[in-house]
Amino acid sequence: MRRVVCHGARLSLRDVTPADVAALHAVYGDPRATQHMPFRPLTLDEVSRLVEEAVDAAAAEPRLLYVLAVVDSERHHVVGVARLHIEAEHPHSAEIGFGLHPDQWGRGVGTDLVRLLLSFGFKQLGLHRLWGARSPANLPAQLAMLTAGMVEEGRVRHHLRTPDGWRGSIVHSALEDEWTER
Ligand SMILES: CC(C)(COP(=O)(O)OP(=O)(O)OC[C@H]1O[C@@H](n2cnc3c(N)ncnc32)[C@H](O)[C@@H]1OP(=O)(O)O)[C@@H](O)C(=O)NCCC(=O)NCCS
């Protein structure tokens, strides 16, 4: 298995390990961070299972799922989690997802994270299309993706089933050739 390491100016990405469960729970267990996600805040046990599944997925051939710890390059703390899921039927294309601990918000870290994920997907994985789906109400995610160069494609109706019912999504995408030109 190839270990993932991807460095940016203030963040880096690496594969999650069982040692990251508490740091990931600080994100996925926080109702502020899951507000726009299609699930309620996760318990420590649920995050632990998610990490086990991520470790298994990292060993799969071909590898389709990357669950990555987002690490502050200066302090070496895990500050968030990123996901990249290659579509088995469309292996040139992957969905990205990302979340930061709320104490990181509002300083441009989210925009840097989207930029780093695009760089990882296009340069390291050789993908052609990266896309992300956000809640229509998620303004910070909208601005982070737009500023990082992911254009809005439109609305997918009833895209997800959440504990509160069906939720539509706004889809953003970036294409490798456009991204290279930027
Ligand atoms: C989405 C997320 C990663 C953004 O992280 P962040 O570090 O706050 O993002 P940035 O600081 O780069 O801000 C991005 C933009 O949103 C704006 N913004 C940030 N927080 C905001 C808020 N609460 N209200 C309005 N605008 C906000 C910033 O001003 C910036 O706009 P600009 O590009 O015009 O300057 C973060 O909010 C998060 O982790 N949310 C929970 C998980 C989530 O929703 N993930 C996205 C799933 S698609």
Side-chain angles (χ1 to χ4, degrees), residues 33 37 98-100 105-111 133 138-141 143 147:
M37 294 183 184
F98 47 88
L100 292 170
W105 294 358
R107 296 183 293 117
V109 182
T111 305
N138 195 344
L139 181 62
L143 294 174
T147 305

Side-chain angles (χ1 to χ4, degrees), residues 23-102:
L24 265 54
H25 181 248
V27 181
Y28 281 142
D30 188 315
R32 294 168 295 175
T34 60
Q35 185 191 355
H36 296 293
M37 294 183 184
F39 50 80
R40 301 232 187 273
L42 301 183
T43 64
L44 196 62
D45 279 351
E46 287 170 330
V47 174
S48 186
R49 276 201 294 282
L50 185 150
V51 169
E52 276 170 29
E53 285 163 16
V55 169
D56 287 347
E61 270 304 331
R63 183 171 181 182
L64 298 178
L65 179 65
Y66 296 81
V67 182
L68 305 173
V70 180
V71 182
D72 177 308
S73 303
E74 207 169 284
R75 294 186 302 142
H76 306 289
H77 289 169
V78 174
V79 295
V81 56
R83 235 172 145 270
L84 185 149
H85 193 190
I86 298 171
E87 298 166 44
E89 303 286 318
H90 308 283
H92 65 283
S93 173
E95 180 180 9
I96 60 168
F98 47 88
L100 292 170
H101 189 278

Side-chain angles (χ1 to χ4, degrees), residues 111-142:
T111 305
D112 280 359
L113 173 55
V114 177
R115 287 196 180 106
L116 193 57
L117 265 172
L118 296 181
S119 167
F120 171 63
F122 290 137
K123 279 169 62 178
Q124 288 200 33
L125 301 183
L127 295 165
H128 181 69
R129 168 183 153 83
L130 294 170
W131 63 279
R134 65 168 172 86
S135 152
N138 195 344
L139 181 62
Q142 175 186 25

